[in-house]
Amino acid sequence: MPGANRRAGAGARARRPRGARDREEDSGGLEPGVAACDLLRGTSNMSFEELLELQSQVGTKTYKQLVAGNSPKKQSSRPPIQNACVADKHRPLEMSAKIRVPFLRQVVPISKKVARDPRFDDLSGEYNPEVFDKTYQFLNDIRAKEKELVKKQLKKHRSGKEHEKLQQLLQRMEQQEMAQQERKQQQELHLALKQERRAQAQQGHRPYFLKKSEQCQLALAEKFKELKRSKKLENFLSRKRRRNAGKDRRHLPLSKE
């Protein structure tokens, strides 16, 4: 049946796409891999019907692979994101406009200011009470003038809130003055002990350093002498007795009624 075979071959060639027939004729019966490459190059010039016919011939999976390999990759419209880097370290950092800028952002690095307290700083030197009192001795005259002014104001305001405020201020001034006098007496006592130890060392004797408890006893003895001299010893002792009695009363058991 040679005639039937020729008619069947002609019908198959007629059903094939025009581009495929041309490539088949040009290839002259090449290998399947070469024909696939030719088909891949010519799919851009085929009509929609020819593409459907080609898909039915080669299969859906192979057709998708051919079309995916022939179509160019879509270029992204967005520009590539660059790393946030700056050329100069003091230059502000470039931020994206699509990202919300934080409320607190450090644009330029600022050196942190460190507060310095001269009372506890080594740069201010060591604290010497004698030198301090001599340097700020003029403050005693200012305090005395302020105390006299407060007393005059207290005489004008006999009652009310202003009288209470002035009374508390005067009491605080007197307490500060008493504390300053006690501190001055302690300094004088330490200075006298220091001079005594220095005299013993000059005579060739070994200096004796008093304990802290012995220094407190000497300070208390000087305080009693000062109170006796100013005739305030009885008031001091009566207050001391009442304070000690209150302390002892706390430790006593409660009486049962």
Side-chain angles (χ1 to χ4, degrees):
M1 301 280 293
N5 293 334
R6 283 197 297 269
R7 284 194 299 271
R13 283 195 299 270
R15 285 194 301 272
R16 292 182 184 176
R18 187 185 305 169
R21 289 201 302 267
D22 297 340
R23 284 191 299 275
E24 187 178 354
E25 291 174 359
D26 295 339
S27 60
L30 295 176
E31 297 179 358
V34 179
C37 294
D38 295 339
L39 288 173
L40 180 60
R41 296 192 191 97
T43 50
S44 59
N45 300 324
M46 292 182 181
S47 63
F48 187 69
E49 294 179 358
E50 293 175 347
L51 291 174
L52 290 176
E53 189 175 356
L54 179 62
Q55 182 181 357
S56 63
Q57 290 179 4
V58 300
T60 306
K61 186 176 180 180
T62 308
Y63 172 77
K64 287 183 178 180
Q65 292 177 357
L66 291 174
V67 174
N70 192 20
S71 62
K73 293 182 180 180
K74 294 183 179 180
Q75 297 291 337
S76 178
S77 59
R78 295 184 180 179
I81 300 174
Q82 297 180 356
N83 294 330
C85 59
V86 292
D88 188 7
K89 62 179 181 179
H90 298 294
R91 174 183 168 188
L93 184 64
E94 295 181 4
M95 304 294 291
S96 175
K98 298 181 180 180
I99 302 175
R100 186 175 180 180
V101 180
F103 178 71
L104 298 175
R105 185 163 72 96
Q106 187 177 4
V107 179
V108 178
I110 302 173
S111 58
K112 185 179 179 181
K113 294 183 179 179
V114 181
R116 188 177 70 88
D117 194 344
R119 297 175 299 172
F120 308 105
D121 198 346
D122 296 336
L123 298 176
S124 302
E126 296 181 358
Y127 172 68
N128 191 346
E130 299 176 1
V131 178
F132 182 83
D133 292 339
K134 289 180 181 179
T135 306
Y136 296 98
Q137 192 174 4
F138 64 93
L139 294 177
N140 297 331
D141 300 335
I142 298 175
R143 292 193 187 98
K145 292 179 181 179
E146 290 179 351
K147 187 177 180 181
E148 294 296 330
L149 182 62
V150 171
K151 286 182 178 180
K152 291 180 181 179
Q153 294 290 332
L154 191 61
K155 290 179 181 179
K156 294 180 181 180
H157 301 84
R158 296 292 183 178
S159 61
K161 294 183 178 179
E162 194 69 24
H163 176 78
E164 294 179 0
K165 290 182 180 179
L166 292 172
Q167 189 72 27
Q168 291 176 0
L169 180 60
L170 181 62
Q171 187 177 1
R172 186 166 67 249
M173 286 182 173
E174 291 176 352
Q175 290 176 355
Q176 290 177 354
E177 187 176 357
M178 291 175 60
Q180 186 178 3
Q181 290 178 359
E182 290 181 2
R183 186 169 60 251
K184 188 176 181 180
Q185 291 176 0
Q186 290 179 2
Q187 291 177 2
E188 291 177 354
L189 179 61
H190 287 306
L191 183 61
L193 293 175
K194 188 175 181 180
Q195 291 177 354
E196 184 179 355
R197 288 195 298 266
R198 188 176 298 173
Q200 291 177 359
Q202 290 178 357
Q203 294 176 5
H205 300 288
R206 185 176 181 180
Y208 176 73
F209 295 92
L210 295 177
K211 299 178 181 179
K212 194 172 182 179
S213 59
E214 296 175 350
Q215 293 180 8
C216 292
Q217 289 177 3
L218 289 176
L220 188 61
E222 290 293 333
K223 185 176 181 180
F224 270 81
K225 289 180 182 179
E226 183 66 25
L227 290 173
K228 190 174 182 179
R229 194 181 304 113
S230 60
K231 297 180 180 180
K232 296 180 180 180
L233 182 60
E234 293 298 330
N235 295 334
F236 176 78
L237 292 176
S238 62
R239 289 199 305 269
K240 192 80 171 176
R241 292 192 196 98
R242 288 196 299 270
R243 195 180 300 114
N244 293 335
K247 290 180 181 179
D248 294 339
R249 197 177 296 113
R250 295 174 189 172
H251 300 286
L252 293 176
L254 297 175
S255 59
K256 295 182 181 180
E257 295 180 358

